[in-house]
Amino acid sequence: MDLKMAPPPPVYKSASQKARWSSEEWGARNLYCPACESPEVQRLSNNTAARDFECPACHHFYQLKSARAWSFRSVADAAYDKMMAAVRSDTAPTLLVMQYTTEWWVRNLLLVPHFFLTPSAIVKRPPLPLGARRSGWVGCNISLVNIPADGKIMVVSNSRVVSPAIVRSKFESVRPVAALDVSLRGWALDVLNVVRRLGKERFTLDEVYAYVPQLAELHPENRHVRDKIRQQLQVLRDLGLLEFERRGIYRLLTRGD
Ligand SMILES: [Zn+2]
């Protein structure tokens, strides 16, 4: 992987056009498929449904977002309704978030497998004001804070290329999440996010219960949050991410980072 991007041709005037041209040109030359052994992904010329690249071997879809400014908290995405529809129908592409330098070098590249994009991660933005070119349009942000560490895989970290073998093995370790029905994934990943935030290998049910208010806020329709937590810990156990040691004590089997 060569971290130098080609600078955009002068025909592109706007910052977003420049970023798009250079990042996609870079991706076509440098991206491999983290979901299989394919050394390349193909650029999709007429990108429908926010799909920028497709793996020719396993047909995994990728969307590449790039910016000079970088935040581990939030990434701006497109229309809220479209994104929610894609999340609910399990058709959102896997997300690649790139940060590049003013000299057109890739500094960070973050991979978020599509099955980590749940309704809790999609945050509605206020509608564009009257008088704006697309007045009333509602966009969204992808809240990276609401995605567990397991679903945030660095491909390039601080100008260093992470070995593809490591990236692929991390992807492989979370792939069982994709088998969960899309209606169950949101809760399971929200509880996993809480467990990762505890920051320890062994934890108790009471420690997870301390996050009942936050989980209730993400799921205002559910009044049995404690029952839901216990149920989701069983789901995470069945996925091989943690085990029940003894009553009320759990142990994580994988590292989230
Ligand atoms: Zn592939």
Side-chain angles (χ1 to χ4, degrees), residues 32-38 40-41 54-60 62 168 175:
Y32 57 88
C33 181
C36 77
E37 293 296 316
S38 172
E40 54 166 15
V41 291
E54 179 181 3
C55 171
C58 73
H59 303 288
H60 202 93
Y62 297 91
R168 285 179 171 130
R175 198 194 284 270

Side-chain angles (χ1 to χ4, degrees), residues 35 41 71 77 107 148 152 154 161 173 183 197 212 215 221:
V41 291
S71 165
D77 200 72
R107 178 175 280 161
K152 293 179 279 193
M154 297 305 292
V161 180
S173 73
S183 63
R197 279 193 209 169
V212 163
L215 289 167
E221 76 293 350

Side-chain angles (χ1 to χ4, degrees), residues 1-254:
M1 189 175 271
D2 172 13
L3 296 184
K4 182 76 186 115
M5 301 163 80
V11 59
Y12 295 108
K13 300 292 178 219
S14 84
S16 66
Q17 281 179 326
K18 288 179 187 178
R20 186 164 185 83
W21 186 89
S22 279
S23 61
E24 290 191 3
E25 192 277 339
W26 179 86
R29 281 188 293 118
N30 288 282
L31 286 175
Y32 57 88
C33 181
C36 77
E37 293 296 316
S38 172
E40 54 166 15
V41 291
Q42 279 164 357
R43 192 169 175 181
L44 298 174
S45 46
N46 74 8
N47 82 64
T48 50
R51 292 165 166 180
D52 298 320
F53 296 94
E54 179 181 3
C55 171
C58 73
H59 303 288
H60 202 93
F61 290 104
Y62 297 91
Q63 181 185 19
L64 178 61
K65 299 205 147 284
S66 60
R68 257 181 217 158
W70 163 271
S71 165
F72 269 109
R73 300 191 62 79
S74 183
V75 182
D77 200 72
Y80 174 78
D81 287 345
K82 273 192 187 159
M83 187 57 179
M84 280 305 258
V87 163
R88 293 215 160 98
S89 60
D90 206 8
T91 53
T94 281
L95 185 65
L96 285 159
V97 191
M98 175 199 280
Q99 183 202 18
Y100 57 87
T101 70
T102 43
E103 294 81 33
W104 300 99
W105 287 86
V106 179
R107 178 175 280 161
N108 285 300
L109 185 63
L110 173 73
L111 172 78
V112 180
H114 65 87
F115 39 85
F116 278 85
L117 299 170
T118 68
S120 298
I122 314 302
V123 179
K124 200 185 229 176
R125 287 206 302 259
L128 292 184
L130 279 172
R133 191 164 55 84
R134 289 186 295 166
S135 163
W137 183 83
V138 178
C140 68
N141 291 325
I142 295 171
S143 167
L144 298 175
V145 177
N146 284 355
I147 295 175
D150 311 63
K152 293 179 279 193
I153 303 171
M154 297 305 292
V155 178
V156 175
S157 178
N158 227 342
S159 305
R160 287 178 58 175
V161 180
V162 178
S163 140
I166 291 175
V167 172
R168 285 179 171 130
S169 91
K170 286 185 173 176
F171 193 100
E172 216 41 53
S173 73
V174 294
R175 198 194 284 270
V177 172
L180 279 183
D181 188 83
V182 68
S183 63
L184 305 174
R185 245 181 248 157
W187 263 105
L189 294 180
D190 289 341
V191 171
L192 179 60
N193 198 20
V194 165
V195 169
R196 289 295 181 204
R197 279 193 209 169
L198 295 174
K200 43 194 192 179
E201 192 187 338
R202 275 188 183 72
F203 60 94
T204 67
L205 190 54
D206 285 338
E207 286 173 315
V208 184
Y209 281 165
Y211 286 82
V212 163
Q214 286 91 328
L215 289 167
E217 202 177 312
L218 289 173
H219 300 273
E221 76 293 350
N222 197 298
R223 287 181 296 131
H224 306 285
V225 176
R226 285 173 178 240
D227 295 346
K228 208 72 185 166
I229 287 174
R230 286 195 307 279
Q231 181 194 344
Q232 297 311 312
L233 288 168
Q234 284 176 23
V235 169
L236 296 172
R237 177 192 61 186
D238 295 344
L239 290 175
L241 295 172
L242 54 83
E243 65 177 13
F244 292 8
E245 258 194 1
R246 54 182 193 277
R247 200 177 163 79
I249 312 275
Y250 302 81
R251 189 168 79 90
L252 278 165
L253 296 175
T254 58

